[in-house]
Amino acid sequence: MIRGDYFTAIQNKKITVLGAERSGIAAAKLIKTKGGIPFVSDSGSQEKLGNRVDELTGLQIDFEISVHSDRVFDSAFIVVSPGVPTEAPVLVKARESHIPVISEVEFAFGFCTGKIIAITGTNGKTTTTSLVEHLLRVAGLKTVAVGNIGFAFSDAVLNDTADMHYALEISSFQLDHIQSFKPDVAAILNITPDHMNRYQNNMQLYVDSKYKIAGNLNANDILILNDDSNWLKSGKIATEAQVQKFSLISGEMTGAALHEDELRFSSEGKTIFTFPVSQLLISGKHNAANAMAAVLAVMPFIKDTSLIARGLRSFPGVEHRLELVKTINGVKYINDSKATNIDSVVVALESYTEPLYLILGGRDKGNDYSIIRDAVINKVIKVYAIGESAEKVFNFFHSDVKTEIKSSLEDAIKSANKEARSGEIVLLSPACASFDMFDSYEHRGKMFKLAVENLAR
């Protein structure tokens, strides 16, 4: 089934894909499979794109690099990768030329017949999406994690079936260019300042982007909202969908709530399922909230709550999010590379009582470090500042806590290893994007883990 007028009869139509990263190449493959003529354009250098160039060549997909030429506009429509800013000159010109611009998620949706559980929010997306996939799999349902996690959505729908359940992690960047995208279940986990460099330091633009996940929902769909988030409270989002809420603060409410040490799930005033927080393998109140959202998301598809309980008890968490890598001479090394904004670092600092050596920095997204100032003063012995934002981090913290600029992540780890003592923690929780020094937060996390393993050896 194809959704959206611009999908009709794409056979032999020229379609441009902007961006040759994972989702862009996946979209180009899907275009070619469906009979269209893909052309991929990326302004990055061959050195930066690396094996992406070889992959496109092997797929016999035409492309250009280091430039966006006028060939971009010889196109029925443009599929844009999330890394391309909305106000990039190439997109401004496309709009002026009245060429439709859609996201890769929107394009893949056009060929999807399975069920879609779409999850967005500033923090917790990866854990919640992974948990949704895990719960569905434990219950015996056909599922795959897609979007910002696992496969690109376009890759997954190459093998689409009506009984597939897509656990889709979706960012504001992907939501910026949707038109007809409509999941069966949508969840907004929270909204706090992030990506302000992309949204012109205008919080409302970022919020509006998140709200788009609910824009096409109807009365048969479900919208899950965090009632503890100021941007998501009653009346903030106009929707026809069935709204379910979760809260860590309100002990009783329709949807899900934390009641002492118990997650309670209810409908029409009746409790239908409870689960002890102590039985979750993932710790912290933020993960209790993630678990509530995930359970609400899968309940329409899993009627046997004993299967949900089994899945909750067996979910180990995700890589690069408060991940204990190793304990060396009594010092714990924690990989929180997924913490790419300040609020993620707040969660990380609240998760430990031990003294910390904190590695901060990378590509800054408009961070306000005053949000974590008190926690850093109270809990952190020393800050190691790395990456493009090292000077900003140093200037902010050095008068309150020992702070040192390091030339590399490995150098910071080696210094922390010399200074930390048994019972203390070395924590990578950078509050920044990784693209100044690494390909992705996963790459950064893997390099942290490799450096720690080298210390252990």
Side-chain angles (χ1 to χ4, degrees), residues 171-241:
S171 70
S172 60
F173 297 172
Q174 291 161 318
L175 289 167
D176 282 335
H177 296 287
I178 65 168
Q179 295 179 15
S180 60
F181 173 75
K182 187 188 79 65
D184 299 278
V185 177
I188 309 180
L189 304 178
N190 44 63
I191 301 180
T192 56
D194 196 13
H195 303 298
M196 289 296 98
N197 56 335
R198 171 104 168 210
Y199 291 99
Q200 305 163 40
N201 287 317
N202 187 330
M203 184 64 182
Q204 190 61 55
L205 291 177
Y206 176 60
V207 171
D208 290 344
S209 179
K210 291 295 189 186
Y211 284 1
K212 286 181 180 178
I213 198 172
N216 297 317
L217 300 182
N218 61 37
N220 296 319
D221 303 318
I222 294 172
L223 175 62
I224 299 166
L225 300 175
N226 182 350
D227 202 49
D228 300 336
S229 173
N230 289 332
W231 291 100
L232 297 174
K233 287 191 178 293
S234 301
K236 294 283 187 180
I237 303 178
T239 181
E240 297 177 12

Side-chain angles (χ1 to χ4, degrees), residues 245-256:
K245 299 176 182 178
F246 64 95
S247 173
L248 293 170
I249 299 170
S250 175
E252 300 291 342
M253 64 184 303
T254 297

Side-chain angles (χ1 to χ4, degrees), residues 320-322 334-340 428-432 434 440-446 448:
H320 310 302
R321 191 69 180 107
L322 297 177
I334 306 292
N335 168 27
D336 195 33
S337 182
K338 185 74 170 64
T340 59
L428 168 67
S429 192
C432 294
S434 58
S440 62
Y441 77 81
E442 293 100 331
H443 181 210
R444 177 170 60 193
K446 289 182 188 300
F448 177 84

Side-chain angles (χ1 to χ4, degrees), residues 1 18 27 42 50 66 68 91 146 155 158 161 182 202 211 288 299 301 323 329 354-355 365 409 413 422:
M1 183 171 109
L18 286 180
D42 195 300
S66 303
H68 293 309
L91 290 185
V146 295
D155 258 338
L158 286 170
T161 56
K182 187 188 79 65
N202 187 330
Y211 284 1
M299 273 186 158
F301 312 106
E323 175 191 11
N329 298 326
E354 300 95 326
K365 298 188 290 182
L409 175 60
I413 295 165
S422 179

